[in-house]
Amino acid sequence: MIYEYNPDYEGAKQLAYEVLIKYSSSEIPIDIKTIIKKYRNIRMISFSKFMKIMNLSYEDLVDKFGSEHGFTIYDELEDKYMIVYNEMDSIEVQRWTQGHELGHILKGHLKSEEYTLIHYNHGKHPMEQEANTFAKHLLVPFPLVNLLAQSFSNKTISQWDIIFLFNVSDITAYYIIKHLRKLYFIPSVFLLENKFKDAIYRYVKNSGREFNIS
């Protein structure tokens, strides 16, 4: 299927870094809930609370909104958003879902006529790809991964470093490592790295591995 909307991967990545610099704390894992709370027009609610309010069964909710992990509702009149997430998912999946939905919101996807179709194509729609790119770089910023790697004497990190430091699932960590291996160069983002360098260094020093931190 051909879509008129082309994914802006670079824009989604840069937007994630801007959000981190402006709204995140200096701690890792990234506190996605605190970031979302900074947006006064965004509210989060669990599946169970939403089902109770709307008098829906779980099956009806998934059928109506097209996702068993989460979705976002947009109130056009009030210009407000509600992220609805499945609290029965693992914490790692919940964090990804919340980051993904925040990506949809900040990229303006919910204001597009195409948005109503994207949950029904198994993530192939360009807007889904953009939201996934945003979530990936929000939760696991590549400049911080590079800073982590450069802090170790052998200049390498493992999938487990990604899992433990950034609190993401093993499958997410696997694909991030796979992506990183394809890159020739990871640009430095000074404001981002400076904000999180102490958290990175604490992890490195507590890792029990040889490091290059003076």
Side-chain angles (χ1 to χ4, degrees), residues 82-103:
M82 179 183 288
I83 295 174
V84 188
Y85 66 94
N86 190 344
E87 76 277 21
M88 299 304 294
D89 284 337
S90 68
I91 293 299
E92 294 85 359
V93 171
Q94 289 181 49
R95 284 165 50 75
W96 180 272
T97 298
Q98 291 157 5
H100 177 95
E101 295 303 326
L102 181 61

Side-chain angles (χ1 to χ4, degrees), residues 34 54 67:
T34 295
M54 302 300 293
S67 175

Side-chain angles (χ1 to χ4, degrees), residues 33 46 57 154:
K33 287 187 176 181
S46 67
S57 68
N154 61 6

